[in-house]
Amino acid sequence: MADEYDLLVIGAGAAGSTAASMAAEQGHRVALVERDKLGGTCLNYGCDPTKALLHVARLLHDARDADRFGLRIPRAEADWKAVQGYVRRVIQTIRGGTRDEAEASLREQGIDLFMGEATFLSPHEVKVGEDTLRAARILLATGASPMVPECTGFAEAGYITNEEAVSLPKLPRSLAIVGGGPIGLEFAQLYHRFGVEVTVLEQMPALLGKDDRELADMLCGMLGKEGIRLETSVDLRRVERTEEGKRLTIKPDGKDEEQLEVDEILLATGRRPQYDALQLEKAGIETNEKGLVLSDTLQTSVPHIWAAGDVTGDYPFTHVASEHGKLALRNAFSEKPEPFNHSAIPWATYTDPALAHVGQTEEQLREAGTQYRVGRVSLEKLDRAIAEGETRGMVKLLVDGEGKIFGGHILAPGAGEMIASVVLAMRQGLPASVLAETILPYPTMSEAVRWAAGNLDGD
């Protein structure tokens, strides 16, 4: 006999664990399946360990650059093994203890936890190891996996992804990063600051292609000045293993073909929804070339099966995955499911300085033929930035003639925090004038948002 559940959640990342906990609180009988580690990609291989590494890398960088503040730090160096120990402690703390303690916490909530690969037997039945689980409702929250570009030699030469990059046993001397999006540039900066020679290779004409071009180019200029090699419009022709490491044959746009010798290759070319092992056909779940076929309420083609988080192919962010999990749980037990609200979804690239983004870019507005106004403030004019020697960056707001905010873009230390007021204003339909009139404490970095809102087109 199969175990019967009100809700079966497959995947214990941000989306799945959020939905499972909410369902258990509501008194439903819940099963949670995880094939790898509790917490999913963000906790174990993504957001949290990379931000810990970026923080340590910045401390190291600042210590080496302390002379500009009148400080004399004669020697600043990293103990990579100790740094890795710090990262493991961060993960354990966020998880809520050791793996056993985290599993025990779930069970105390009334959630039945099953560790293993899940496969469908029928629309209502899932096999996990020797266990057969049957549920009235099922939530797919299996996340995403790294994509491997089509290039001869990757499999033979070997490579790492973000999953290995956060816990390398030792630092390579040189690293080629294939992919110039947020993941690629975050790893580029942190590894460079730990003393690794880094080259970023991007197939497209520009790095950070989804961000505001003006601010993205400013950030890339800063990374280049740090000593990171950035190449765009690259034709990656082949990859080979050598006695010393790995060799990439590349043809950057407008340059001669060259061979790049490195110790290691990091693939950061994007991620794709992960569901191949589920055998969706046995449940009758439809897919297409983009992934799962979903309604705007996160419902699959099978009425009692829902999806949330990165597996949807939507915004690949933990904050979105958590909200997906909440909505999918509510909808699964509701007679009137609601659509997911896609308005004002923020994201950030956590380099130093960070680049945060919400809404539309200037490029998108121009392409659509939309009239807009711009409010800009350089950090060079901000007293707090001057006091802390952090004047590289800008705040940019894009609004219409009535003050409606189309988008906000911030390049600054702590940009992820600074973007919050813009997200709130956009979410609530507040005009830029509200931001301009809001009294903020002096001196703070967040004043730049207020100034930008009151400086539309320089008025």
Side-chain angles (χ1 to χ4, degrees):
M1 291 290 292
D3 288 329
E4 299 275 351
Y5 292 93
D6 299 318
L7 177 68
L8 168 61
V9 180
I10 305 175
S17 59
T18 297
S21 295
M22 287 180 60
E25 288 176 3
Q26 294 171 11
H28 300 296
R29 188 170 186 226
V30 181
L32 176 61
V33 180
E34 174 54 51
R35 62 184 290 272
D36 186 18
K37 297 179 180 178
L38 297 178
T41 295
C42 184
L43 174 59
N44 296 291
Y45 313 115
C47 324
D48 300 317
T50 56
K51 302 315 164 278
L53 286 169
L54 283 161
H55 174 66
V56 176
R58 178 171 181 175
L59 293 176
L60 180 63
H61 176 77
D62 287 348
R64 290 171 172 168
D65 195 35
D67 282 0
R68 67 190 180 107
F69 298 109
L71 300 178
R72 301 292 179 264
I73 301 177
R75 187 174 182 178
E77 58 186 18
D79 179 339
W80 182 247
K81 183 177 180 180
V83 170
Q84 286 294 306
Y86 170 73
V87 173
R88 287 192 295 271
R89 292 193 299 275
V90 167
I91 293 173
Q92 182 169 306
T93 301
I94 296 174
R95 182 185 288 123
T98 65
R99 174 172 173 169
D100 290 343
E101 289 171 335
E103 291 180 7
S105 176
L106 288 172
R107 293 186 172 105
E108 287 173 5
Q109 296 176 51
I111 299 170
D112 288 348
L113 178 63
F114 297 85
M115 300 300 296
E117 192 80 72
T119 57
F120 277 99
L121 297 176
S122 71
H124 284 277
E125 291 182 309
V126 169
K127 185 83 168 175
V128 183
E130 299 299 318
D131 296 300
T132 298
L133 313 178
R134 182 175 176 83
R137 303 163 190 85
I138 297 174
L139 174 61
L140 307 181
T142 48
S145 57
M147 292 191 298
V148 180
E150 295 181 1
C151 176
T152 302
F154 270 118
E156 295 77 12
Y159 58 86
I160 61 173
T161 68
N162 65 291
E163 296 183 1
E164 296 83 19
V166 296
S167 57
L168 288 178
K170 66 177 183 178
L171 288 169
R173 290 169 299 176
S174 56
L175 176 68
I177 299 178
V178 182
I183 295 175
L185 293 193
E186 287 181 9
F187 275 112
Q189 188 177 50
L190 79 85
Y191 271 113
H192 175 73
R193 288 183 168 183
F194 279 117
V196 179
E197 182 181 336
V198 177
T199 301
V200 177
L201 305 173
E202 171 57 51
Q203 182 182 20
M204 300 301 290
L207 302 170
L208 298 171
K210 294 183 179 180
D211 279 282
D212 181 87
R213 194 70 264 138
E214 180 183 15
L215 271 61
D217 286 345
M218 288 178 64
L219 173 57
C220 291
M222 296 173 193
L223 296 178
K225 287 181 180 179
E226 279 197 28
I228 301 169
R229 180 184 176 187
L230 306 172
E231 294 287 354
T232 56
S233 298
V234 174
D235 178 11
L236 179 54
R237 296 185 169 177
R238 59 184 175 276
V239 181
E240 306 164 87
R241 179 179 290 277
T242 67
E243 291 184 3
E244 294 77 21
K246 288 144 192 203
R247 179 185 299 124
L248 301 91
T249 301
I250 62 174
K251 174 66 171 64
D253 187 38
K255 301 179 181 179
D256 294 334
E257 179 180 285
E258 67 172 285
Q259 292 184 333
L260 179 65
E261 306 276 352
V262 296
D263 289 342
E264 190 56 87
I265 299 171
L266 167 61
L267 293 187
T269 49
R271 300 173 67 81
R272 66 178 186 85
Q274 180 173 260
Y275 50 72
D276 293 346
L278 290 173
Q279 299 184 35
L280 299 179
E281 67 279 0
K282 293 184 179 180
I285 300 172
E286 294 181 10
T287 61
N288 56 27
E289 65 279 0
K290 295 182 179 180
L292 296 173
V293 175
L294 297 174
S295 70
D296 58 2
T297 63
L298 305 179
Q299 188 177 42
T300 72
S301 57
V302 180
H304 67 275
I305 300 177
W306 305 76
D310 289 2
V311 74
T312 66
D314 210 338
Y315 300 94
F317 310 125
T318 298
H319 44 285
V320 172
S322 296
E323 294 304 313
H324 268 186
K326 294 175 185 178
L327 179 65
L329 184 277
R330 290 196 302 268
N331 285 346
F333 289 91
S334 173
E335 294 182 359
K336 295 182 178 180
E338 300 177 357
F340 181 72
N341 184 351
H342 291 267
S343 66
I345 301 294
W347 71 76
T349 300
Y350 293 97
T351 47
D352 174 29
L355 179 59
H357 170 152
V358 62
Q360 295 174 281
T361 65
E362 279 201 82
E363 292 71 33
Q364 290 171 328
L365 292 172
R366 286 197 293 264
E367 184 177 344
T370 303
Q371 297 295 313
Y372 65 94
R373 304 173 70 193
V374 182
R376 284 187 185 85
V377 169
S378 169
L379 296 193
E380 293 177 344
K381 299 180 179 180
L382 191 67
D383 291 356
R384 182 59 180 268
I386 294 170
E388 296 187 356
E390 298 286 0
T391 57
R392 302 179 304 163
M394 176 187 293
V395 174
K396 177 195 283 190
L397 297 180
L398 309 173
V399 306
D400 69 6
E402 303 299 320
K404 174 186 174 182
I405 303 173
F406 288 132
H409 309 274
I410 302 177
L411 178 63
E417 282 77 25
M418 293 171 65
I419 200 74
S421 59
V422 185
V423 176
L424 178 61
M426 291 180 65
R427 195 83 171 187
Q428 297 300 317
L430 302 176
S433 59
V434 172
L435 294 177
E437 295 163 2
T438 300
I439 299 176
L440 300 174
Y442 171 88
T444 58
M445 298 293 283
S446 57
E447 286 184 293
V449 176
R450 180 187 183 188
W451 289 7
N455 190 39
L456 297 175
D457 294 333
D459 59 7

